[in-house]
Amino acid sequence: ADGALAEAVGLPAKKYIETHTIEFFDLSTNVPDEIISRWASYIGTEIFLSSLMDPIGEGKAFTRKIALICSELPDNVKKRINEFNEIIIKTIEEDNQ
């Protein structure tokens, strides 16, 4: 996706994850990895673009929040959450270079 699409998708994706975190990850087990990776990438780009000071710090705060909300989910879902969060941070780091 080009930057314009990522901007149009990033904020709604981020808001959905923030408000429906457990639902998203419960349902994500039935979604291909490629689609989940795109969601994470869009969110990483959104955090990077909307950050005023420290996009990596803001990304890490976001991923910690997601992990905390999902701390009671099964291990297979937690693994997917960790992978999702890693993609968010990797995207921010790549955008930040």
Side-chain angles (χ1 to χ4, degrees):
D2 66 8
L5 177 59
E7 288 179 38
V9 175
L11 185 57
K14 183 175 180 269
K15 286 186 178 190
Y16 181 79
I17 296 293
E18 289 176 319
T19 57
H20 303 286
T21 310
I22 292 175
E23 175 185 77
F24 176 81
F25 286 107
D26 277 341
L27 296 172
S28 77
T29 57
N30 298 318
V31 177
D33 290 343
E34 182 180 327
I35 302 297
I36 300 301
S37 294
R38 285 185 196 160
W39 271 73
S41 181
Y42 293 148
I43 291 169
T45 298
E46 177 60 35
I47 291 170
F48 174 76
L49 293 173
S50 63
S51 175
L52 299 175
M53 298 291 286
D54 180 15
I56 294 171
E58 290 177 30
K60 288 180 180 180
F62 179 83
T63 58
R64 279 192 302 270
K65 177 179 162 184
I66 297 305
L68 183 62
I69 291 170
C70 297
S71 63
E72 300 298 318
L73 294 178
D75 287 342
N76 66 321
V77 179
K78 286 182 191 176
K79 181 178 183 287
R80 186 153 229 193
I81 293 164
N82 290 337
E83 292 167 354
F84 185 87
N85 286 344
E86 287 172 9
I87 294 168
I88 290 173
I89 298 303
K90 181 181 175 190
T91 301
I92 294 168
E93 289 172 344
E94 289 172 355
D95 289 344
N96 200 37
Q97 293 181 351

Coordinates of all heavy atoms in Angstrom, one line a residue:
A1 N 0.8 -1.2 0.0 CA 0.0 0.0 0.0 C 0.9 1.2 0.0 O 1.9 1.3 0.6 CB -0.9 0.0 1.2
D2 N 0.4 2.3 -0.7 CA 1.1 3.5 -0.6 C 0.8 4.3 0.7 O 0.0 3.9 1.4 CB 0.8 4.4 -1.9 CG -0.6 4.9 -1.9 OD1 -1.3 4.7 -0.9 OD2 -1.0 5.4 -3.0
G3 N 1.5 5.4 0.9 CA 1.4 6.1 2.1 C 0.0 6.6 2.3 O -0.5 6.6 3.4
A4 N -0.7 7.1 1.2 CA -2.0 7.6 1.4 C -3.0 6.6 1.9 O -3.8 6.8 2.8 CB -2.5 8.2 0.0
L5 N -2.9 5.4 1.4 CA -3.8 4.3 1.9 C -3.5 4.0 3.3 O -4.4 3.8 4.1 CB -3.7 3.0 1.0 CG -4.5 1.8 1.5 CD1 -6.0 2.2 1.5 CD2 -4.2 0.6 0.6
A6 N -2.2 3.9 3.7 CA -1.9 3.6 5.1 C -2.4 4.6 6.0 O -2.9 4.3 7.1 CB -0.4 3.5 5.2
E7 N -2.4 5.9 5.6 CA -3.0 7.0 6.4 C -4.5 6.8 6.6 O -5.0 7.0 7.7 CB -2.7 8.3 5.8 CG -1.2 8.7 5.9 CD -0.9 10.1 5.3 OE1 -1.8 11.0 5.4 OE2 0.1 10.2 4.7
A8 N -5.2 6.4 5.5 CA -6.6 6.3 5.6 C -7.0 5.1 6.4 O -8.1 5.0 7.0 CB -7.2 6.2 4.2
V9 N -6.2 4.1 6.4 CA -6.5 2.8 7.1 C -6.0 2.8 8.6 O -6.5 2.2 9.5 CB -6.0 1.6 6.3 CG1 -6.2 0.3 7.1 CG2 -6.6 1.5 5.0
G10 N -4.8 3.4 8.8 CA -4.1 3.4 10.0 C -4.9 3.8 11.3 O -4.9 3.1 12.3
L11 N -5.5 5.0 11.2 CA -6.2 5.5 12.4 C -7.4 4.6 12.7 O -7.6 4.2 13.9 CB -6.6 6.9 12.2 CG -7.3 7.6 13.4 CD1 -6.3 7.5 14.6 CD2 -7.6 9.0 13.1
P12 N -8.3 4.2 11.8 CA -9.4 3.3 12.1 C -8.9 2.0 12.6 O -9.5 1.4 13.6 CB -10.2 3.2 10.8 CG -9.8 4.4 10.0 CD -8.4 4.7 10.4
A13 N -7.9 1.4 12.1 CA -7.3 0.2 12.5 C -6.8 0.3 14.0 O -7.1 -0.6 14.8 CB -6.2 -0.3 11.6
K14 N -6.1 1.4 14.3 CA -5.6 1.6 15.6 C -6.7 1.7 16.6 O -6.7 1.2 17.7 CB -4.7 2.8 15.6 CG -4.0 3.1 17.0 CD -3.1 4.3 16.8 CE -2.4 4.6 18.1 NZ -3.1 5.6 18.9
K15 N -7.7 2.5 16.3 CA -8.9 2.7 17.2 C -9.6 1.4 17.4 O -10.1 1.2 18.5 CB -9.8 3.8 16.6 CG -9.2 5.2 16.8 CD -10.2 6.2 16.3 CE -9.6 7.6 16.6 NZ -10.6 8.7 16.4
Y16 N -9.8 0.6 16.4 CA -10.5 -0.7 16.6 C -9.7 -1.6 17.5 O -10.3 -2.1 18.4 CB -10.7 -1.4 15.2 CG -11.4 -2.7 15.4 CD1 -12.8 -2.7 15.5 CD2 -10.7 -3.9 15.4 CE1 -13.5 -3.9 15.7 CE2 -11.4 -5.1 15.6 CZ -12.8 -5.1 15.7 OH -13.4 -6.3 15.9
I17 N -8.4 -1.6 17.3 CA -7.6 -2.5 18.2 C -7.6 -1.9 19.7 O -7.7 -2.7 20.6 CB -6.1 -2.5 17.8 CG1 -6.0 -3.1 16.4 CG2 -5.2 -3.2 18.8 CD1 -6.3 -4.6 16.4
E18 N -7.7 -0.6 19.8 CA -7.7 -0.1 21.2 C -9.1 -0.3 21.9 O -9.1 -0.5 23.1 CB -7.5 1.5 21.1 CG -6.1 1.8 20.8 CD -5.9 3.3 20.6 OE1 -6.7 4.0 20.0 OE2 -4.8 3.8 21.1
T19 N -10.1 -0.3 21.1 CA -11.5 -0.5 21.7 C -12.0 -1.9 21.7 O -12.9 -2.2 22.5 CB -12.5 0.5 21.0 OG1 -12.5 0.2 19.7 CG2 -12.2 1.9 21.3
H20 N -11.5 -2.7 20.8 CA -12.0 -4.1 20.7 C -10.8 -5.1 20.7 O -10.7 -6.0 19.9 CB -12.8 -4.3 19.5 CG -14.0 -3.4 19.4 ND1 -15.1 -3.5 20.1 CD2 -14.2 -2.3 18.6 CE1 -15.9 -2.6 19.9 NE2 -15.4 -1.8 18.9
T21 N -9.8 -4.9 21.6 CA -8.6 -5.6 21.6 C -8.8 -7.1 21.7 O -8.3 -7.9 20.8 CB -7.7 -5.1 22.8 OG1 -7.6 -3.7 22.8 CG2 -6.3 -5.7 22.7
I22 N -9.5 -7.6 22.7 CA -9.6 -9.0 22.9 C -10.4 -9.6 21.8 O -10.1 -10.7 21.2 CB -10.2 -9.3 24.3 CG1 -9.2 -8.9 25.4 CG2 -10.7 -10.8 24.4 CD1 -9.7 -9.0 26.8
E23 N -11.5 -8.9 21.3 CA -12.3 -9.4 20.2 C -11.4 -9.6 19.0 O -11.5 -10.6 18.3 CB -13.4 -8.5 19.9 CG -14.2 -8.8 18.7 CD -15.3 -7.8 18.4 OE1 -14.9 -6.7 17.8 OE2 -16.4 -8.0 18.7
F24 N -10.6 -8.6 18.7 CA -9.7 -8.7 17.5 C -8.8 -9.9 17.6 O -8.7 -10.7 16.6 CB -8.9 -7.4 17.4 CG -7.9 -7.5 16.2 CD1 -8.3 -7.2 14.9 CD2 -6.6 -7.8 16.5 CE1 -7.4 -7.3 13.9 CE2 -5.7 -7.9 15.4 CZ -6.1 -7.6 14.1
F25 N -8.1 -10.1 18.7 CA -7.2 -11.2 18.7 C -7.9 -12.5 18.9 O -7.3 -13.5 18.4 CB -6.2 -10.9 19.8 CG -5.2 -9.9 19.5 CD1 -5.2 -8.6 20.0 CD2 -4.2 -10.2 18.5 CE1 -4.3 -7.7 19.6 CE2 -3.3 -9.2 18.1 CZ -3.4 -7.9 18.7
D26 N -9.1 -12.6 19.4 CA -9.8 -13.9 19.4 C -10.2 -14.2 18.0 O -10.0 -15.4 17.6 CB -11.1 -13.7 20.3 CG -10.9 -13.9 21.7 OD1 -9.9 -14.5 22.1 OD2 -11.8 -13.5 22.5
L27 N -10.6 -13.3 17.2 CA -11.0 -13.5 15.8 C -9.8 -13.7 14.9 O -9.9 -14.3 13.9 CB -11.9 -12.4 15.3 CG -13.2 -12.2 16.0 CD1 -13.9 -10.9 15.5 CD2 -14.1 -13.4 15.8
S28 N -8.7 -13.2 15.3 CA -7.5 -13.2 14.4 C -7.0 -14.6 14.2 O -6.3 -14.8 13.2 CB -6.4 -12.3 15.0 OG -5.7 -13.0 16.1
T29 N -7.3 -15.5 15.0 CA -6.9 -16.9 14.8 C -7.4 -17.5 13.5 O -6.9 -18.5 13.0 CB -7.2 -17.8 16.0 OG1 -8.6 -17.8 16.2 CG2 -6.4 -17.3 17.2
N30 N -8.5 -16.9 13.0 CA -9.1 -17.4 11.8 C -8.8 -16.5 10.5 O -9.4 -16.7 9.5 CB -10.7 -17.4 11.9 CG -11.1 -18.3 13.0 OD1 -10.6 -19.4 13.1 ND2 -12.0 -17.9 13.9
V31 N -7.9 -15.6 10.7 CA -7.5 -14.7 9.6 C -6.0 -15.0 9.2 O -5.2 -15.2 10.1 CB -7.6 -13.2 10.2 CG1 -7.1 -12.2 9.1 CG2 -9.0 -12.9 10.6
P32 N -5.8 -15.0 7.9 CA -4.4 -15.3 7.4 C -3.4 -14.3 8.1 O -3.6 -13.1 8.3 CB -4.5 -15.1 5.9 CG -5.9 -15.2 5.6 CD -6.7 -14.7 6.8
D33 N -2.2 -14.8 8.3 CA -1.1 -14.1 8.9 C -0.8 -12.8 8.1 O -0.5 -11.7 8.7 CB 0.2 -14.9 9.0 CG 0.1 -16.0 10.0 OD1 -0.8 -16.0 10.9 OD2 1.0 -16.9 9.9
E34 N -0.9 -12.9 6.8 CA -0.6 -11.7 5.9 C -1.5 -10.5 6.3 O -1.1 -9.4 6.3 CB -0.7 -12.1 4.5 CG -0.4 -11.0 3.5 CD -0.5 -11.4 2.1 OE1 -0.3 -12.5 1.7 OE2 -0.9 -10.5 1.3
I35 N -2.8 -10.8 6.5 CA -3.8 -9.8 6.8 C -3.5 -9.1 8.2 O -3.5 -7.9 8.3 CB -5.2 -10.3 6.8 CG1 -5.5 -10.9 5.4 CG2 -6.2 -9.2 7.2 CD1 -5.5 -9.9 4.2
I36 N -3.1 -10.0 9.1 CA -2.8 -9.5 10.5 C -1.6 -8.6 10.4 O -1.5 -7.6 11.1 CB -2.7 -10.7 11.5 CG1 -4.0 -11.5 11.6 CG2 -2.2 -10.2 12.8 CD1 -5.2 -10.7 12.0
S37 N -0.6 -9.1 9.6 CA 0.7 -8.3 9.5 C 0.4 -6.9 8.9 O 1.0 -5.9 9.3 CB 1.6 -9.0 8.6 OG 2.1 -10.2 9.2
R38 N -0.5 -6.8 7.9 CA -0.9 -5.6 7.3 C -1.5 -4.6 8.4 O -1.2 -3.4 8.4 CB -1.9 -5.7 6.2 CG -1.2 -6.3 4.9 CD -2.2 -6.3 3.8 NE -1.7 -7.1 2.7 CZ -2.4 -7.7 1.8 NH1 -3.7 -7.5 1.8 NH2 -1.9 -8.4 0.9
W39 N -2.4 -5.2 9.2 CA -3.0 -4.4 10.3 C -1.9 -3.8 11.1 O -2.0 -2.6 11.4 CB -4.0 -5.2 11.1 CG -5.4 -5.3 10.6 CD1 -5.8 -6.0 9.5 CD2 -6.5 -4.7 11.2 NE1 -7.2 -5.8 9.4 CE2 -7.6 -5.0 10.4 CE3 -6.7 -3.8 12.3 CZ2 -8.9 -4.6 10.7 CZ3 -8.0 -3.4 12.6 CH2 -9.1 -3.8 11.8
A40 N -1.0 -4.6 11.6 CA 0.1 -4.2 12.4 C 0.9 -3.1 11.8 O 1.3 -2.1 12.4 CB 0.9 -5.3 12.9
S41 N 1.2 -3.3 10.5 CA 2.0 -2.3 9.7 C 1.3 -1.0 9.6 O 1.9 0.1 9.8 CB 2.3 -2.9 8.4 OG 3.1 -2.0 7.6
Y42 N 0.0 -1.0 9.3 CA -0.8 0.2 9.2 C -0.8 0.9 10.6 O -0.7 2.2 10.6 CB -2.2 -0.1 8.8 CG -2.4 -0.6 7.4 CD1 -3.4 -1.5 7.1 CD2 -1.5 -0.3 6.4 CE1 -3.6 -2.0 5.8 CE2 -1.7 -0.7 5.1 CZ -2.7 -1.6 4.8 OH -2.9 -2.1 3.5
I43 N -0.9 0.2 11.6 CA -0.9 0.8 13.0 C 0.4 1.4 13.3 O 0.5 2.5 13.8 CB -1.4 -0.2 14.0 CG1 -2.9 -0.5 13.8 CG2 -1.1 0.4 15.4 CD1 -3.4 -1.7 14.7
G44 N 1.5 0.7 12.9 CA 2.8 1.2 13.1 C 3.0 2.5 12.4 O 3.6 3.5 12.9
T45 N 2.6 2.6 11.1 CA 2.7 3.8 10.3 C 1.9 4.9 10.9 O 2.3 6.1 11.0 CB 2.3 3.5 8.9 OG1 3.2 2.5 8.3 CG2 2.3 4.8 8.0
E46 N 0.7 4.6 11.4 CA -0.2 5.6 12.0 C 0.5 6.2 13.3 O 0.5 7.4 13.5 CB -1.5 5.0 12.4 CG -2.4 6.0 13.1 CD -2.7 7.2 12.3 OE1 -2.8 7.2 11.0 OE2 -2.9 8.3 12.9
I47 N 1.1 5.4 14.1 CA 1.8 5.8 15.3 C 2.9 6.7 14.9 O 3.2 7.8 15.5 CB 2.2 4.7 16.2 CG1 1.0 4.0 16.8 CG2 3.2 5.1 17.3 CD1 1.3 2.7 17.5
F48 N 3.7 6.3 13.9 CA 4.8 7.1 13.4 C 4.4 8.5 12.9 O 4.9 9.5 13.3 CB 5.6 6.4 12.3 CG 6.7 7.2 11.7 CD1 7.9 7.4 12.3 CD2 6.5 7.8 10.4 CE1 8.8 8.2 11.8 CE2 7.5 8.6 9.9 CZ 8.6 8.8 10.5
L49 N 3.3 8.5 12.1 CA 2.9 9.7 11.5 C 2.2 10.7 12.5 O 2.3 11.9 12.3 CB 1.9 9.4 10.3 CG 2.5 8.8 9.1 CD1 1.4 8.4 8.1 CD2 3.5 9.7 8.5
S50 N 1.6 10.1 13.5 CA 0.9 11.0 14.5 C 1.8 11.4 15.7 O 1.4 12.2 16.5 CB -0.4 10.3 14.9 OG -0.1 9.1 15.6
S51 N 2.9 10.8 15.8 CA 3.8 11.1 16.9 C 4.4 12.5 16.8 O 4.9 12.9 15.7 CB 4.9 10.1 17.0 OG 5.8 10.4 18.0
L52 N 4.4 13.2 17.9 CA 5.0 14.5 17.9 C 6.4 14.5 18.4 O 7.2 15.4 18.1 CB 4.2 15.5 18.7 CG 2.7 15.7 18.3 CD1 1.9 16.5 19.3 CD2 2.7 16.3 16.9
M53 N 6.8 13.5 19.2 CA 8.1 13.5 19.8 C 8.9 12.2 19.7 O 10.0 12.2 19.2 CB 8.0 13.8 21.3 CG 7.4 15.2 21.6 SD 8.4 16.5 21.2 CE 9.6 16.4 22.5
D54 N 8.3 11.1 20.1 CA 9.0 9.9 20.2 C 8.2 8.7 19.6 O 7.5 8.0 20.4 CB 9.3 9.6 21.7 CG 10.1 8.3 21.9 OD1 10.6 7.7 20.9 OD2 10.1 7.9 23.1
P55 N 8.2 8.5 18.3 CA 7.3 7.5 17.8 C 7.6 6.1 18.3 O 6.7 5.3 18.5 CB 7.6 7.6 16.3 CG 8.8 8.3 16.1 CD 9.0 9.2 17.3
I56 N 8.9 5.8 18.5 CA 9.2 4.4 19.0 C 8.7 4.3 20.4 O 8.2 3.2 20.8 CB 10.8 4.2 18.9 CG1 11.2 4.1 17.4 CG2 11.2 2.9 19.6 CD1 12.6 4.1 17.1
G57 N 8.9 5.3 21.3 CA 8.4 5.2 22.6 C 6.9 5.1 22.7 O 6.3 4.3 23.4
E58 N 6.2 5.8 21.8 CA 4.7 5.7 21.7 C 4.3 4.4 21.2 O 3.3 3.8 21.7 CB 4.2 6.8 20.8 CG 4.3 8.2 21.5 CD 3.9 9.3 20.6 OE1 2.9 9.1 19.8 OE2 4.4 10.4 20.7
G59 N 5.1 3.8 20.3 CA 4.8 2.5 19.8 C 4.9 1.4 20.8 O 4.1 0.5 21.0
K60 N 6.0 1.5 21.6 CA 6.2 0.6 22.7 C 5.1 0.7 23.8 O 4.7 -0.3 24.4 CB 7.6 0.8 23.3 CG 8.7 0.3 22.4 CD 10.1 0.5 23.0 CE 11.1 -0.1 22.0 NZ 12.5 0.1 22.5
A61 N 4.7 1.9 24.1 CA 3.6 2.1 25.0 C 2.3 1.5 24.5 O 1.6 0.8 25.3 CB 3.4 3.6 25.3
F62 N 2.0 1.6 23.2 CA 0.9 1.0 22.6 C 0.9 -0.5 22.7 O 0.0 -1.1 23.1 CB 0.7 1.5 21.2 CG -0.5 0.9 20.5 CD1 -1.7 1.5 20.6 CD2 -0.3 -0.2 19.7 CE1 -2.8 0.9 20.0 CE2 -1.4 -0.8 19.0 CZ -2.7 -0.2 19.2
T63 N 2.1 -1.1 22.4 CA 2.2 -2.5 22.4 C 2.1 -3.1 23.8 O 1.6 -4.2 24.0 CB 3.4 -3.0 21.6 OG1 4.6 -2.4 22.2 CG2 3.4 -2.6 20.2
R64 N 2.7 -2.4 24.8 CA 2.6 -2.8 26.2 C 1.1 -2.8 26.6 O 0.7 -3.7 27.3 CB 3.4 -1.9 27.1 CG 4.9 -2.2 27.1 CD 5.6 -1.5 28.3 NE 5.4 -0.1 28.2 CZ 6.3 0.8 27.5 NH1 7.3 0.3 26.9 NH2 6.1 2.1 27.5
K65 N 0.4 -1.8 26.2 CA -1.0 -1.7 26.5 C -1.8 -2.9 26.0 O -2.6 -3.5 26.7 CB -1.6 -0.4 26.0 CG -3.0 -0.1 26.2 CD -3.4 1.2 25.6 CE -4.9 1.3 25.4 NZ -5.3 2.6 24.8
I66 N -1.5 -3.2 24.7 CA -2.2 -4.3 24.1 C -1.9 -5.6 24.8 O -2.8 -6.4 25.1 CB -1.8 -4.4 22.6 CG1 -2.2 -3.2 21.8 CG2 -2.3 -5.7 21.9 CD1 -3.7 -2.8 21.9
A67 N -0.6 -5.8 25.1 CA -0.2 -7.1 25.8 C -0.8 -7.2 27.1 O -1.3 -8.3 27.5 CB 1.3 -7.1 25.9
L68 N -1.0 -6.1 27.9 CA -1.6 -6.1 29.2 C -3.1 -6.4 29.1 O -3.6 -7.2 29.9 CB -1.4 -4.7 29.9 CG -1.9 -4.6 31.3 CD1 -1.2 -5.6 32.2 CD2 -1.7 -3.2 31.8
I69 N -3.7 -5.8 28.2 CA -5.2 -6.1 28.0 C -5.4 -7.6 27.7 O -6.4 -8.2 28.1 CB -5.8 -5.2 26.9 CG1 -5.8 -3.7 27.3 CG2 -7.2 -5.7 26.5 CD1 -6.1 -2.8 26.2
C70 N -4.5 -8.2 27.0 CA -4.7 -9.6 26.5 C -3.9 -10.6 27.4 O -3.8 -11.7 27.0 CB -4.2 -9.7 25.1 SG -5.1 -8.7 23.9
S71 N -3.5 -10.2 28.5 CA -2.7 -11.1 29.4 C -3.4 -12.4 29.8 O -2.7 -13.3 30.1 CB -2.2 -10.3 30.6 OG -3.3 -9.9 31.4
E72 N -4.7 -12.4 29.7 CA -5.4 -13.6 30.2 C -5.8 -14.5 29.0 O -6.4 -15.6 29.2 CB -6.7 -13.2 30.9 CG -6.4 -12.4 32.2 CD -5.6 -13.1 33.2 OE1 -5.9 -14.3 33.4 OE2 -4.7 -12.5 33.8
L73 N -5.4 -14.2 27.8 CA -5.7 -15.0 26.6 C -4.8 -16.2 26.6 O -3.8 -16.2 27.1 CB -5.7 -14.1 25.4 CG -6.7 -13.0 25.2 CD1 -6.5 -12.2 23.9 CD2 -8.1 -13.6 25.3
P74 N -5.3 -17.2 25.8 CA -4.4 -18.4 25.7 C -3.1 -18.1 25.1 O -2.9 -17.2 24.3 CB -5.2 -19.4 24.8 CG -6.6 -18.8 24.8 CD -6.5 -17.3 25.1
D75 N -2.1 -19.0 25.3 CA -0.7 -18.8 24.8 C -0.7 -18.7 23.3 O 0.1 -17.9 22.8 CB 0.2 -20.0 25.3 CG 0.5 -19.9 26.8 OD1 0.3 -18.8 27.4 OD2 0.9 -20.9 27.4
N76 N -1.5 -19.5 22.6 CA -1.4 -19.4 21.1 C -1.8 -18.0 20.6 O -1.3 -17.5 19.7 CB -2.2 -20.5 20.4 CG -3.7 -20.3 20.7 OD1 -4.2 -20.0 21.8 ND2 -4.5 -20.6 19.6
V77 N -2.8 -17.4 21.3 CA -3.2 -16.0 21.0 C -2.1 -15.0 21.4 O -1.8 -14.1 20.7 CB -4.6 -15.7 21.6 CG1 -5.0 -14.3 21.2 CG2 -5.6 -16.7 21.1
K78 N -1.5 -15.2 22.6 CA -0.5 -14.3 23.1 C 0.7 -14.3 22.1 O 1.3 -13.3 21.9 CB 0.0 -14.7 24.4 CG -0.9 -14.4 25.5 CD -0.3 -14.8 26.9 CE -1.3 -14.8 28.0 NZ -0.8 -15.2 29.2
K79 N 1.0 -15.5 21.5 CA 2.1 -15.6 20.5 C 1.8 -14.7 19.3 O 2.6 -13.9 18.8 CB 2.3 -17.0 20.1 CG 3.4 -17.2 19.1 CD 3.5 -18.7 18.7 CE 4.6 -19.0 17.8 NZ 4.4 -18.5 16.4
R80 N 0.5 -14.7 18.9 CA 0.1 -13.9 17.7 C 0.2 -12.4 18.1 O 0.6 -11.5 17.3 CB -1.3 -14.2 17.3 CG -1.7 -13.5 16.1 CD -2.7 -14.3 15.3 NE -2.3 -14.4 13.9 CZ -3.0 -14.8 13.0 NH1 -4.2 -15.2 13.2 NH2 -2.6 -14.8 11.7
I81 N -0.2 -12.1 19.4 CA -0.1 -10.7 19.8 C 1.3 -10.2 19.8 O 1.6 -9.1 19.4 CB -0.8 -10.5 21.2 CG1 -2.3 -10.8 21.1 CG2 -0.5 -9.2 21.9 CD1 -2.9 -11.1 22.5
N82 N 2.2 -11.0 20.3 CA 3.7 -10.7 20.3 C 4.2 -10.4 18.9 O 4.9 -9.4 18.7 CB 4.5 -11.7 21.0 CG 4.2 -11.8 22.5 OD1 3.8 -10.8 23.1 ND2 4.5 -12.9 23.1
E83 N 3.8 -11.3 18.0 CA 4.2 -11.1 16.6 C 3.6 -9.8 16.0 O 4.3 -9.0 15.3 CB 3.8 -12.3 15.8 CG 4.5 -13.5 16.1 CD 3.9 -14.8 15.5 OE1 2.8 -14.7 14.9 OE2 4.5 -15.9 15.7
F84 N 2.4 -9.5 16.3 CA 1.7 -8.3 15.9 C 2.4 -7.1 16.4 O 2.7 -6.1 15.7 CB 0.2 -8.4 16.4 CG -0.6 -7.3 16.0 CD1 -1.4 -7.3 14.8 CD2 -0.8 -6.1 16.8 CE1 -2.2 -6.3 14.4 CE2 -1.7 -5.1 16.4 CZ -2.4 -5.2 15.2
N85 N 2.7 -7.1 17.7 CA 3.4 -6.0 18.4 C 4.8 -5.8 17.8 O 5.3 -4.6 17.6 CB 3.5 -6.2 19.9 CG 2.1 -5.9 20.5 OD1 1.2 -5.3 19.9 ND2 2.0 -6.4 21.8
E86 N 5.5 -6.9 17.5 CA 6.8 -6.8 16.9 C 6.8 -6.1 15.5 O 7.6 -5.3 15.2 CB 7.5 -8.1 16.7 CG 7.9 -8.7 18.1 CD 8.4 -10.2 18.0 OE1 8.5 -10.7 16.8 OE2 8.6 -10.8 19.0
I87 N 5.7 -6.4 14.7 CA 5.6 -5.7 13.4 C 5.3 -4.3 13.6 O 5.8 -3.4 12.8 CB 4.5 -6.4 12.6 CG1 4.9 -7.9 12.3 CG2 4.1 -5.6 11.3 CD1 3.8 -8.7 11.7
I88 N 4.5 -3.9 14.6 CA 4.3 -2.5 14.8 C 5.6 -1.7 15.1 O 5.8 -0.7 14.5 CB 3.3 -2.3 16.0 CG1 1.9 -2.7 15.6 CG2 3.3 -0.8 16.5 CD1 0.9 -2.8 16.8
I89 N 6.4 -2.3 16.0 CA 7.6 -1.6 16.4 C 8.6 -1.6 15.2 O 9.2 -0.6 14.9 CB 8.3 -2.3 17.6 CG1 7.4 -2.2 18.8 CG2 9.7 -1.7 17.9 CD1 7.0 -0.7 19.2
K90 N 8.7 -2.7 14.4 CA 9.6 -2.8 13.3 C 9.2 -1.7 12.2 O 10.0 -1.0 11.6 CB 9.5 -4.2 12.7 CG 10.4 -4.3 11.5 CD 10.3 -5.7 10.9 CE 11.1 -5.8 9.6 NZ 10.9 -7.0 8.9
T91 N 7.9 -1.6 12.0 CA 7.4 -0.6 11.0 C 7.8 0.8 11.5 O 8.2 1.6 10.6 CB 5.9 -0.7 10.9 OG1 5.5 -2.0 10.4 CG2 5.3 0.3 9.9
I92 N 7.6 1.1 12.7 CA 7.9 2.5 13.2 C 9.4 2.7 13.1 O 9.8 3.8 12.6 CB 7.5 2.6 14.7 CG1 6.0 2.6 14.8 CG2 8.0 3.9 15.3 CD1 5.5 2.4 16.3
E93 N 10.2 1.7 13.4 CA 11.7 1.9 13.3 C 12.1 2.1 11.8 O 13.0 2.9 11.6 CB 12.4 0.6 13.9 CG 12.3 0.5 15.4 CD 12.8 -0.8 15.9 OE1 13.0 -1.7 15.2 OE2 13.1 -0.8 17.2
E94 N 11.5 1.3 10.9 CA 11.8 1.5 9.5 C 11.4 2.9 9.0 O 12.1 3.5 8.2 CB 11.2 0.4 8.7 CG 11.8 -0.9 8.9 CD 11.0 -2.1 8.2 OE1 9.9 -1.8 7.6 OE2 11.5 -3.2 8.3
D95 N 10.2 3.3 9.4 CA 9.7 4.7 9.0 C 10.6 5.8 9.6 O 10.7 6.9 9.1 CB 8.3 4.9 9.4 CG 7.3 4.0 8.6 OD1 7.7 3.5 7.6 OD2 6.1 3.9 9.1
N96 N 11.2 5.5 10.8 CA 11.9 6.5 11.5 C 13.3 6.7 11.0 O 14.0 7.6 11.4 CB 12.0 6.1 13.0 CG 12.3 7.3 13.9 OD1 11.8 8.4 13.7 ND2 13.1 7.0 14.9
Q97 N 13.7 5.9 10.0 CA 15.1 6.0 9.5 C 15.2 7.0 8.4 O 14.4 7.4 7.7 CB 15.6 4.7 9.0 CG 15.8 3.7 10.1 CD 16.2 2.3 9.6 OE1 16.3 2.1 8.4 NE2 16.6 1.5 10.5

